[in-house]
């Protein structure tokens, strides 16, 4: 249910409504909009009609059901797009497009520093890089783990770029959150519900990648896990889904961008690197993502893709990444964005 407060309702009336929701056994999620505050009340679906009685409280305008199965993620509770702040300075979901760039895997301090400086120079605002790697083969490089997180933190110190990096299991959340500014959930973990619940109580924003076999409703239900457990800062990322096509690694589902923008207020980014699997398709699909209304991009960049320990084939050299950033400009402008 959504408890819609009157425009100009007092703080006292808002906290009164919040208390009443709690007393009825539901979790209140106040969402402060430009015009008015609404309070999402989520919990046991049975008996939720009781919440209707809150309509008689002072300051409450109406109590309406949320029709979508994802509640806090839906546009019903918040009409304006959410802006998620990363590292205290980078806003995702605003007018400015946000580009996260960096290697698939953190391989050495030199590699991360080289990419971070080049990415910053070209205009990226976030540094990405995996220290815990979800690999199909148990014999493939699994990541540098905490050492890799330290390399990322050092690169942030030198460049000022906030860091987004993957966390693969609940037991790692505290450690990864100590070094990172944003916690990535990879495609393979999008329905790891215990991890999502744990991230709900983490103090860092979450970068949630769509699973390769996750439809958009399921994707938003995964975001809902994080939101309802207390963390309102979730950014969605389309990274390609599995289809019968083999010319590309995945099929980048760009129609997900306008559809998600209609379904949810959460920012939507696109990863054309995993979406295509081949460096030569990354620029065209990045441009298309921005034209489709994405709030940002995640791009894999490696100084020597041929020697990369993972995903070399889809990684851009720094010079090509700089070309991408240049070519994005007219597309950003045409979509009413700045870069
Ligand atoms: C990654 O970002 O390097 C990654 C493993 O992505 P995905 O989870 O989308 O495959
Ligand atoms: Mn990768």
């Amino acid at each position: 249910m959504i408890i819609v407060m009157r425009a100009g309702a007092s703080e006292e009336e808002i906290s009164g409504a919040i208390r009443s929701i709690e007393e009825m056994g539901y979790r209140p999620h106040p969402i402060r909009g430009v015009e008015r505050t609404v309070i999402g009340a989520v919990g046991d679906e049975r008996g939720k009609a009781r919440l209707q009685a809150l309509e008689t409280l002072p300051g409450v305008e109406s109590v309406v059901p949320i029709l979508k199965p994802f509640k806090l993620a839906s546009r019903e509770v918040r009409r304006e797009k959410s802006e998620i702040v990363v590292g205290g300075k980078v806003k995702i979901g605003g007018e400015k497009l946000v580009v996260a760039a960096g290697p698939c895997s953190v391989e050495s301090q030199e590699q991360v520093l080289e990419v971070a400086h080049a990415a910053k120079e070209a205009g990226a605002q976030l540094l990405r890089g995996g220290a815990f790697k979800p690999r199909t083969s148990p014999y493939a490089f699994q990541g540098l783990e905490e050492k890799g997180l330290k390399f990322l933190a050092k690169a942030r110190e030198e460049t000022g770029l906030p860091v987004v990096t993957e966390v693969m299991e609940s037991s790692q959340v505290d450690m990864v959150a100590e070094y990172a500014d944003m916690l990535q959930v990879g495609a393979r973990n999008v329905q790891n519900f215990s991890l999502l619940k744990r991230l709900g109580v983490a103090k860092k924003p979450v970068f949630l990648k769509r699973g390769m076999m996750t439809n958009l409703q399921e994707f938003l239900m995964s975001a809902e896990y994080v939101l309802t457990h207390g963390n309102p800062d979730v950014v969605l990322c389309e990274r390609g889904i599995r289809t019968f096509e083999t010319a590309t690694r995945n099929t980048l589902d760009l129609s997900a961008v306008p559809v998600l923008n209609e379904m949810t207020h959460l920012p939507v980014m696109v990863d054309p690197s995993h979406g295509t699997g081949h460096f030569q398709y990354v620029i065209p699909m990045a441009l298309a993502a921005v034209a489709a209304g994405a709030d940002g991009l995640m791009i894999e960049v490696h100084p020597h893709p041929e020697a990369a320990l993972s995903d070399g084939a889809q990684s851009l050299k720094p010079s090509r990444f700089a070309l991408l950033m240049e070519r994005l400009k007219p597309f950003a402008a045409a979509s009413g964005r700045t870069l």
Side-chain angles (χ1 to χ4, degrees):
M1 290 288 213
I2 310 172
I3 291 64
V4 183
M5 303 302 294
R6 285 185 212 289
S10 69
E11 280 306 315
E12 215 173 293
E13 289 169 336
I14 294 170
S15 42
I18 289 175
R19 255 195 323 276
S20 301
I21 293 166
E22 281 168 345
E23 278 162 17
M24 292 173 109
Y26 288 83
R27 280 196 300 278
H29 292 268
I31 295 158
R32 289 168 197 274
V34 187
E35 283 171 29
R36 62 181 77 232
T37 294
V38 303
I39 309 170
V42 294
D44 194 342
E45 288 288 298
R46 296 161 299 176
K48 65 174 190 239
R50 286 185 305 136
L51 287 163
Q52 208 70 49
L54 298 178
E55 234 159 25
T56 58
L57 287 182
V60 173
E61 184 172 280
S62 58
V63 177
V64 287
I66 308 174
L67 300 174
K68 295 281 191 303
F70 42 93
K71 310 290 179 192
L72 301 173
S74 89
R75 282 271 186 189
E76 290 176 69
V77 298
R78 186 181 168 90
R79 262 167 275 176
E80 316 97 74
K81 168 124 8 194
S82 286
E83 278 191 3
I84 311 295
V85 181
V86 184
K89 58 179 176 187
V90 176
K91 271 193 209 147
I92 307 179
E95 191 189 294
K96 206 167 158 62
L97 275 179
V98 173
V99 180
C104 177
S105 297
V106 174
E107 298 170 5
S108 68
Q109 184 68 82
E110 298 65 41
Q111 173 234 25
V112 181
L113 286 175
E114 185 176 348
V115 177
H117 282 288
K120 168 145 197 194
E121 178 86 357
Q125 290 125 284
L126 296 174
L127 173 65
R128 67 141 287 146
F132 292 92
K133 295 303 303 174
R135 304 304 301 279
T136 303
S137 165
Y139 308 116
F141 177 59
Q142 303 286 308
L144 295 181
E145 305 188 342
E146 191 167 7
K147 194 160 72 162
L149 297 174
K150 290 189 169 139
F151 293 162
L152 286 166
K154 171 85 179 149
R156 172 183 50 217
E157 205 181 295
E158 282 202 10
T159 60
L161 295 178
V163 163
V164 49
T165 193
E166 178 156 354
V167 54
M168 280 171 53
E169 50 183 88
S170 304
S171 62
Q172 298 164 346
V173 171
D174 284 333
M175 188 218 285
V176 177
E178 204 182 301
Y179 297 96
D181 300 285
M182 188 176 212
L183 307 171
Q184 174 169 325
V185 177
R188 290 153 191 82
N189 262 326
V190 70
Q191 289 189 317
N192 179 341
F193 300 117
S194 54
L195 176 61
L196 298 173
K197 287 184 205 173
R198 178 63 188 79
L199 290 168
V201 294
K203 298 284 175 270
K204 295 280 164 77
V206 172
F207 188 83
L208 183 63
K209 296 188 96 176
R210 182 180 181 184
M212 48 197 95
M213 292 182 293
T214 312
N215 70 29
L216 295 178
Q217 179 163 315
E218 290 162 342
F219 189 22
L220 289 176
M221 294 309 283
S222 292
E224 189 77 12
Y225 265 92
V226 181
L227 300 175
T228 198
H229 284 85
N231 187 344
D233 294 335
V234 177
V235 172
L236 305 168
C237 180
E238 161 61 37
R239 48 75 74 203
I241 52 174
R242 214 164 244 193
T243 68
F244 53 83
E245 184 53 71
T246 54
T248 46
R249 179 178 179 184
N250 291 290
T251 295
L252 189 63
D253 178 15
L254 283 186
S255 54
V257 177
V259 176
L260 286 170
N261 276 335
E262 187 177 272
M263 294 167 95
T264 181
H265 54 88
L266 299 174
V268 178
M269 288 180 55
V270 171
D271 169 357
S273 304
H274 293 86
T276 63
H278 300 272
F279 77 90
Q280 65 271 37
Y281 308 137
V282 170
I283 291 184
M285 295 315 283
L287 303 180
V290 170
D295 295 300
L297 298 166
M298 174 172 266
I299 308 286
E300 286 188 341
V301 181
H302 196 291
H304 308 287
E306 65 291 346
L309 295 182
S310 61
D311 288 350
Q314 67 195 32
S315 297
L316 303 189
K317 289 185 181 159
S319 56
R320 192 177 271 263
F321 176 67
L323 174 68
L324 160 64
M325 294 301 285
E326 209 36 54
R327 293 202 46 203
L328 266 179
K329 285 180 185 160
F331 286 81
S335 312
R337 307 273 191 161
T338 53
L339 243 189

